DNA sequence: TCACTCATCTGGTCTATACCAATATGAGAT
DNA sequence: ATCTCATATTGGTATAGACCAGATGAGTGA
């Protein structure tokens, strides 16, 4: 006989999932407090939290530091194979994008960058950090590294809106080849705070290495997306 | 003195991470039991488990149902833009691949399939489930749907090793275009059991829709990868 | 009106304990 | 040797209670 005693945290999951499916709870709505849910379902906070974390892992709900749990809004569709800018494809999907520059400075390549960008240790690089989101909700944090050798004076260009636009328009350089490296990981404290997520939150890390027509690396990006905010689409064609 | 008011589950994380980094623990080695770790670090099981779950989210360790926690072996590199088969690219990476057929049957397209494959409701389709892994460790579970209309008699072909090989060799049909859809989610009970993971385990879901030279959909796949077993690489070229 | 203060609410972390279910283990029977 | 079965071990789930830290909102005073 496989009569299993039902798992109690599962009832939290089904209860809340139904609320969401039925429409009692809509995107960005606040869930009842953990203590209230526990009382309503006659269980303890530990168990309730177990259920909430499962829904979080499924991307159905998210939490805002000590403010409560909320229903996750629609994901953003991102297609790295299309030549289109964040601000544009988010608008296209009916959401209001924002982009915030966190840091911009000149550095020299350390061991990690040299290896990743296939350049010499110590080569001058422009580093750019930025945070992007939709409808006031941050969705990804990005570190960008640009080679000054290939893009002289790039530090002083207006990079807020789109780096790739500047590269194309001001340097007449096309992105000829892009290597993507995608891995699931978790956010460190700094990234988590920017993305308004708890430390350790599951993220999708996308590394992008871009080459020009001559096969030179021009740009290296590392993006950390909230896992609940992204749906990746890639179109591949034989050639 | 290291009297820290910092979180105590973090000490579990750093302690074990150091063991792994130093090489005291190697891939597939078993960690001490939760009770033993708790005792050693003078904390409780709940806290220890909290730390273990964080390491699990980072992909550093995995658990085998009630047997214990283990160090995660190397990830598999998978490049969907390369025309190469699982059995081959896993071997290429120095691991021993396996592939197990779970199910094979003829069905007709339901609403979900019809929508996903852009075909009519009720069109005959061959469904194939299989589990694949490396070094005896399952890494992904896959559902494949093939159109009998385009590939007549495909049900009786030897599909164990590679579906795409059969399509190419026996039907002289090339995969001309592939649409990928990638999302992070979590495993349901059935998928989790096959992948030897706890229910709700974070997974990477890859949907692949393949077209032939004439623009017809020939195949639809849904893969569920253990998040700790996969590193995705995609090469994009302008054309 | 505006800025500040403080009680209150919320989630974040932790202790201590308990029982269950699947797995490993080792002693005894064959 | 091999099989069988009871037992110990391990993780999985849950209860009950506690304190902390950040966010909020109502009330207060300038």
């Amino acid at each position: 006989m496989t009569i299993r005693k039902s798992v109690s945290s599962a009832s939290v999951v089904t209860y809340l999932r139904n609320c969401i499916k039925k429409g009692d709870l809509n995107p960005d709505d606040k869930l009842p407090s953990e203590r209230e849910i526990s009382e309503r379902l006659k269980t303890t906070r530990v168990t309730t939290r177990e259920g909430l974390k499962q829904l979080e892992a499924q991307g159905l709900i998210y939490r805002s530091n000590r403010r409560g749990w909320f229903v996750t809004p629609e994901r953003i569709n991102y297609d790295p194979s299309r030549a289109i800018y964040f601000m544009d494809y988010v608008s296209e999907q009916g959401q209001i994008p924002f982009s915030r520059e966190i840091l911009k400075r000149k550095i020299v390549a350390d061991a990690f960058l040299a290896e990743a960008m296939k350049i010499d240790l110590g080569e001058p690089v422009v580093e750019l950090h930025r945070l992007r989101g939709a409808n006031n909700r941050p969705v990804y944090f990005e570190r960008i590294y640009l080679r000054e050798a290939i893009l002289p004076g790039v530090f002083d260009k207006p990079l807020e809106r789109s780096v790739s636009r500047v590269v194309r328009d001001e340097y007449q350089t096309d992105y000829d080849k892009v290597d993507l490296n995608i891995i699931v990981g978790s956010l460190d404290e700094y990234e988590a705070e920017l993305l308004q997520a708890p430390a350790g939150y599951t993220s999708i890390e996308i590394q992008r290495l871009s080459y020009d027509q001559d096969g030179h690396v021009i740009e290296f990006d590392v993006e950390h997306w909230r896992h609940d905010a992204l749906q990746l689409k890639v179109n591949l064609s034989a050639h």
Side-chain angles (χ1 to χ4, degrees), chain A:
Chain A
M1 300 300 296
T2 49
I3 307 251
R4 335 170 27 137
K5 196 180 126 190
S6 66
V7 189
S8 178
S9 65
S11 70
V12 177
V13 173
T14 45
Y15 170 69
L16 290 171
R17 173 181 287 136
N18 282 339
C19 290
I20 297 173
K21 199 181 293 178
K22 280 194 302 179
D24 295 349
L25 290 168
N26 294 305
D28 284 322
D29 276 0
K30 188 177 180 306
L31 273 59
S33 76
E34 295 178 356
R35 287 168 175 86
E36 195 180 327
I37 297 173
S38 308
E39 200 174 333
R40 211 180 291 179
L41 298 185
K42 295 196 171 34
T43 182
T44 58
R45 261 187 78 206
V46 178
T47 303
T48 298
R49 278 174 73 77
E50 178 61 32
L52 290 168
K53 284 175 186 170
Q54 284 179 34
L55 288 166
E56 183 188 46
Q58 291 167 25
L60 281 175
I61 62 175
Y62 67 96
R63 43 182 146 172
S64 176
N65 191 13
R66 283 166 226 264
R67 292 200 311 117
W69 294 85
F70 302 82
V71 178
T72 307
E74 240 186 306
R75 290 169 189 264
I76 292 176
N77 276 324
Y78 171 38
D79 184 346
S81 61
R82 278 179 77 192
I84 181 172
Y85 313 113
F86 178 81
M87 304 299 278
D88 295 333
Y89 65 74
V90 169
S91 306
E92 210 175 64
Q93 291 167 40
Q95 305 199 43
I96 301 165
F98 74 84
S99 179
R100 200 176 103 210
E101 188 175 300
I102 306 287
L103 178 153
K104 178 175 160 184
R105 62 175 177 182
K106 301 185 182 192
I107 60 169
V108 294
D110 59 10
F112 169 74
L113 280 183
E115 153 103 31
M117 300 177 74
K118 303 175 201 163
I119 60 177
D120 291 334
L121 254 167
E123 180 179 318
V125 168
V126 172
E127 179 179 28
L128 197 65
H129 289 190
R130 64 184 175 198
L131 182 70
R132 292 184 146 178
N135 298 341
N136 283 319
R137 180 165 173 263
V139 294
Y140 81 94
F141 168 70
E142 177 178 33
R143 288 175 237 256
I144 304 176
Y145 302 94
L146 298 163
R147 291 180 71 186
E148 282 209 285
I150 309 280
L151 307 167
V154 72
F155 185 83
D156 300 309
K157 304 285 183 186
L159 301 170
E160 306 81 39
R161 254 187 78 81
S162 166
V163 168
S164 31
R165 174 170 290 159
V166 169
V167 170
R168 272 175 239 253
D169 296 352
E170 306 224 13
Y171 293 91
Q172 286 77 46
T173 295
D174 273 324
Y175 288 74
D176 190 60
K177 190 164 89 75
V178 177
D179 289 344
L180 295 179
N181 218 324
I182 302 168
I183 202 169
V184 170
S186 59
L187 301 175
D188 65 30
E189 279 187 47
Y190 171 64
E191 298 159 346
E193 188 175 337
L194 286 168
L195 287 167
Q196 292 173 20
Y201 187 80
T202 299
S203 67
I204 305 170
E205 181 177 333
I206 304 180
Q207 296 186 1
R208 185 198 294 101
L209 193 60
S210 310
Y211 302 82
D212 67 10
Q213 307 92 319
D214 304 321
H216 297 127
V217 169
I218 47 180
E219 179 184 346
F220 178 57
D221 295 16
V222 184
E223 302 177 359
H224 288 269
W225 286 76
R226 291 184 61 105
H227 79 83
D228 64 351
L230 177 63
Q231 165 144 23
L232 262 175
K233 300 201 176 209
V234 186
N235 297 313
L236 302 172
S237 299
H239 28 246

